[in-house]
mmCIF file of all heavy atoms in Angstrom:
data_model
loop_
_atom_site.group_PDB
_atom_site.id
_atom_site.type_symbol
_atom_site.label_atom_id
_atom_site.label_comp_id
_atom_site.label_asym_id
_atom_site.label_seq_id
_atom_site.Cartn_x
_atom_site.Cartn_y
_atom_site.Cartn_z
ATOM 1 N N TRP A 14 4.115 -1.860 8.337
ATOM 2 C CA TRP A 14 2.857 -1.442 7.708
ATOM 3 C C TRP A 14 2.715 0.075 7.666
ATOM 4 O O TRP A 14 2.242 0.626 6.670
ATOM 5 C CB TRP A 14 1.663 -2.085 8.406
ATOM 6 C CG TRP A 14 1.589 -3.545 8.077
ATOM 7 C CD1 TRP A 14 1.891 -4.578 8.909
ATOM 8 C CD2 TRP A 14 1.253 -4.131 6.818
ATOM 9 N NE1 TRP A 14 1.742 -5.764 8.234
ATOM 10 C CE2 TRP A 14 1.348 -5.530 6.968
ATOM 11 C CE3 TRP A 14 0.872 -3.602 5.592
ATOM 12 C CZ2 TRP A 14 1.085 -6.403 5.912
ATOM 13 C CZ3 TRP A 14 0.598 -4.474 4.545
ATOM 14 C CH2 TRP A 14 0.708 -5.856 4.716
ATOM 15 N N CYS A 53 -2.269 -1.228 -4.997
ATOM 16 C CA CYS A 53 -2.361 -1.128 -3.527
ATOM 17 C C CYS A 53 -3.360 -2.140 -2.983
ATOM 18 O O CYS A 53 -3.094 -2.781 -1.960
ATOM 19 C CB CYS A 53 -2.777 0.279 -3.116
ATOM 20 S SG CYS A 53 -1.536 1.533 -3.428
ATOM 21 N N ALA A 54 -4.492 -2.279 -3.638
ATOM 22 C CA ALA A 54 -5.512 -3.217 -3.172
ATOM 23 C C ALA A 54 -4.994 -4.650 -3.235
ATOM 24 O O ALA A 54 -5.250 -5.447 -2.324
ATOM 25 C CB ALA A 54 -6.784 -3.076 -4.013
ATOM 26 N N GLY A 55 -4.257 -4.983 -4.272
ATOM 27 C CA GLY A 55 -3.674 -6.319 -4.374
ATOM 28 C C GLY A 55 -2.665 -6.573 -3.268
ATOM 29 O O GLY A 55 -2.609 -7.661 -2.692
ATOM 30 N N PHE A 56 -1.863 -5.574 -2.972
ATOM 31 C CA PHE A 56 -0.864 -5.700 -1.911
ATOM 32 C C PHE A 56 -1.545 -5.882 -0.551
ATOM 33 O O PHE A 56 -1.143 -6.732 0.254
ATOM 34 C CB PHE A 56 0.030 -4.467 -1.903
ATOM 35 C CG PHE A 56 1.189 -4.571 -0.974
ATOM 36 C CD1 PHE A 56 2.303 -5.305 -1.324
ATOM 37 C CD2 PHE A 56 1.166 -3.942 0.246
ATOM 38 C CE1 PHE A 56 3.372 -5.415 -0.463
ATOM 39 C CE2 PHE A 56 2.225 -4.031 1.121
ATOM 40 C CZ PHE A 56 3.341 -4.778 0.760
ATOM 41 N N ILE A 57 -2.596 -5.110 -0.311
ATOM 42 C CA ILE A 57 -3.333 -5.228 0.954
ATOM 43 C C ILE A 57 -4.036 -6.583 1.035
ATOM 44 O O ILE A 57 -4.015 -7.240 2.084
ATOM 45 C CB ILE A 57 -4.334 -4.066 1.104
ATOM 46 C CG1 ILE A 57 -3.565 -2.753 1.301
ATOM 47 C CG2 ILE A 57 -5.297 -4.307 2.245
ATOM 48 C CD1 ILE A 57 -4.418 -1.514 1.188
ATOM 49 N N ALA A 58 -4.639 -7.023 -0.062
ATOM 50 C CA ALA A 58 -5.318 -8.320 -0.081
ATOM 51 C C ALA A 58 -4.329 -9.446 0.203
ATOM 52 O O ALA A 58 -4.634 -10.381 0.950
ATOM 53 C CB ALA A 58 -6.000 -8.543 -1.431
ATOM 54 N N LYS A 59 -3.127 -9.354 -0.349
ATOM 55 C CA LYS A 59 -2.095 -10.356 -0.088
ATOM 56 C C LYS A 59 -1.764 -10.402 1.392
ATOM 57 O O LYS A 59 -1.621 -11.477 1.980
ATOM 58 C CB LYS A 59 -0.843 -10.054 -0.888
ATOM 59 C CG LYS A 59 0.297 -11.018 -0.639
ATOM 60 C CD LYS A 59 1.600 -10.234 -0.616
ATOM 61 C CE LYS A 59 2.725 -11.085 -0.123
ATOM 62 N NZ LYS A 59 3.157 -10.775 1.213
ATOM 63 N N GLY A 60 -1.629 -9.240 2.013
ATOM 64 C CA GLY A 60 -1.325 -9.188 3.438
ATOM 65 C C GLY A 60 -2.430 -9.781 4.283
ATOM 66 O O GLY A 60 -2.167 -10.518 5.241
ATOM 67 N N VAL A 61 -3.683 -9.489 3.942
ATOM 68 C CA VAL A 61 -4.828 -10.020 4.696
ATOM 69 C C VAL A 61 -4.910 -11.529 4.534
ATOM 70 O O VAL A 61 -5.092 -12.271 5.516
ATOM 71 C CB VAL A 61 -6.139 -9.342 4.245
ATOM 72 C CG1 VAL A 61 -7.360 -10.037 4.818
ATOM 73 C CG2 VAL A 61 -6.125 -7.868 4.624
ATOM 74 N N ILE A 62 -4.751 -12.014 3.315
ATOM 75 C CA ILE A 62 -4.793 -13.458 3.066
ATOM 76 C C ILE A 62 -3.662 -14.158 3.803
ATOM 77 O O ILE A 62 -3.868 -15.203 4.429
ATOM 78 C CB ILE A 62 -4.731 -13.750 1.553
ATOM 79 C CG1 ILE A 62 -6.016 -13.279 0.886
ATOM 80 C CG2 ILE A 62 -4.487 -15.228 1.288
ATOM 81 C CD1 ILE A 62 -5.955 -13.245 -0.630
ATOM 82 N N GLN A 63 -2.476 -13.578 3.758
ATOM 83 C CA GLN A 63 -1.335 -14.166 4.456
ATOM 84 C C GLN A 63 -1.578 -14.192 5.966
ATOM 85 O O GLN A 63 -1.257 -15.181 6.634
ATOM 86 C CB GLN A 63 -0.072 -13.371 4.142
ATOM 87 C CG GLN A 63 1.178 -13.937 4.767
ATOM 88 C CD GLN A 63 2.407 -13.144 4.389
ATOM 89 O OE1 GLN A 63 2.323 -12.132 3.695
ATOM 90 N NE2 GLN A 63 3.548 -13.605 4.829
ATOM 91 N N PHE A 64 -2.169 -13.126 6.508
ATOM 92 C CA PHE A 64 -2.462 -13.076 7.939
ATOM 93 C C PHE A 64 -3.406 -14.208 8.338
ATOM 94 O O PHE A 64 -3.157 -14.933 9.296
ATOM 95 C CB PHE A 64 -3.068 -11.720 8.311
ATOM 96 C CG PHE A 64 -3.563 -11.645 9.719
ATOM 97 C CD1 PHE A 64 -2.682 -11.511 10.768
ATOM 98 C CD2 PHE A 64 -4.922 -11.722 9.992
ATOM 99 C CE1 PHE A 64 -3.141 -11.451 12.085
ATOM 100 C CE2 PHE A 64 -5.396 -11.674 11.290
ATOM 101 C CZ PHE A 64 -4.497 -11.528 12.342
ATOM 102 N N PHE A 65 -4.502 -14.378 7.602
ATOM 103 C CA PHE A 65 -5.454 -15.428 7.935
ATOM 104 C C PHE A 65 -4.865 -16.815 7.709
ATOM 105 O O PHE A 65 -5.123 -17.745 8.460
ATOM 106 C CB PHE A 65 -6.756 -15.259 7.140
ATOM 107 C CG PHE A 65 -7.617 -14.154 7.660
ATOM 108 C CD1 PHE A 65 -7.875 -13.030 6.898
ATOM 109 C CD2 PHE A 65 -8.169 -14.231 8.932
ATOM 110 C CE1 PHE A 65 -8.666 -12.004 7.384
ATOM 111 C CE2 PHE A 65 -8.963 -13.212 9.428
ATOM 112 C CZ PHE A 65 -9.208 -12.101 8.645
ATOM 113 N N TYR A 66 -4.049 -16.936 6.701
ATOM 114 C CA TYR A 66 -3.389 -18.211 6.411
ATOM 115 C C TYR A 66 -2.472 -18.610 7.560
ATOM 116 O O TYR A 66 -2.480 -19.755 8.005
ATOM 117 C CB TYR A 66 -2.594 -18.066 5.111
ATOM 118 C CG TYR A 66 -1.971 -19.341 4.590
ATOM 119 C CD1 TYR A 66 -2.736 -20.290 3.947
ATOM 120 C CD2 TYR A 66 -0.603 -19.569 4.716
ATOM 121 C CE1 TYR A 66 -2.162 -21.451 3.456
ATOM 122 C CE2 TYR A 66 -0.029 -20.724 4.242
ATOM 123 C CZ TYR A 66 -0.819 -21.663 3.602
ATOM 124 O OH TYR A 66 -0.252 -22.808 3.130
ATOM 125 N N GLU A 67 -1.706 -17.659 8.068
ATOM 126 C CA GLU A 67 -0.780 -17.945 9.159
ATOM 127 C C GLU A 67 -1.483 -18.147 10.484
ATOM 128 O O GLU A 67 -1.048 -18.957 11.309
ATOM 129 C CB GLU A 67 0.261 -16.840 9.270
ATOM 130 C CG GLU A 67 1.232 -16.819 8.104
ATOM 131 C CD GLU A 67 2.208 -15.668 8.155
ATOM 132 O OE1 GLU A 67 2.070 -14.785 9.035
ATOM 133 O OE2 GLU A 67 3.091 -15.632 7.279
ATOM 134 N N THR A 68 -2.583 -17.424 10.739
ATOM 135 C CA THR A 68 -3.280 -17.585 12.013
ATOM 136 C C THR A 68 -4.063 -18.901 12.069
ATOM 137 O O THR A 68 -4.392 -19.346 13.159
ATOM 138 C CB THR A 68 -4.248 -16.419 12.293
ATOM 139 O OG1 THR A 68 -5.167 -16.283 11.206
ATOM 140 C CG2 THR A 68 -3.475 -15.120 12.495
ATOM 141 N N GLN A 69 -4.338 -19.490 10.937
ATOM 142 C CA GLN A 69 -5.024 -20.791 10.920
ATOM 143 C C GLN A 69 -4.037 -21.941 11.121
ATOM 144 O O GLN A 69 -4.422 -23.098 11.134
ATOM 145 C CB GLN A 69 -5.779 -20.985 9.606
ATOM 146 C CG GLN A 69 -6.907 -20.006 9.400
ATOM 147 C CD GLN A 69 -7.996 -20.185 10.441
ATOM 148 O OE1 GLN A 69 -8.365 -21.287 10.812
ATOM 149 N NE2 GLN A 69 -8.504 -19.068 10.941
ATOM 150 N N GLY A 70 -2.740 -21.620 11.210
ATOM 151 C CA GLY A 70 -1.718 -22.641 11.402
ATOM 152 C C GLY A 70 -1.334 -23.363 10.127
ATOM 153 O O GLY A 70 -0.747 -24.442 10.169
ATOM 154 N N LEU A 71 -1.648 -22.754 9.001
ATOM 155 C CA LEU A 71 -1.333 -23.412 7.720
ATOM 156 C C LEU A 71 0.037 -22.992 7.174
ATOM 157 O O LEU A 71 0.569 -23.662 6.309
ATOM 158 C CB LEU A 71 -2.421 -23.046 6.691
ATOM 159 C CG LEU A 71 -3.839 -23.470 7.065
ATOM 160 C CD1 LEU A 71 -4.834 -22.907 6.075
ATOM 161 C CD2 LEU A 71 -3.940 -24.978 7.146
ATOM 162 N N GLY A 72 0.575 -21.872 7.661
ATOM 163 C CA GLY A 72 1.818 -21.350 7.090
ATOM 164 C C GLY A 72 3.045 -21.658 7.834
ATOM 165 O O GLY A 72 3.272 -22.030 8.881
#
Side-chain angles (χ1 to χ4, degrees):
W14 288 107
C53 291
F56 187 78
I57 292 169
K59 178 219 169 254
V61 170
I62 292 168
Q63 183 178 3
F64 172 76
F65 285 115
Y66 186 77
E67 291 176 353
T68 56
Q69 295 296 319
L71 300 173

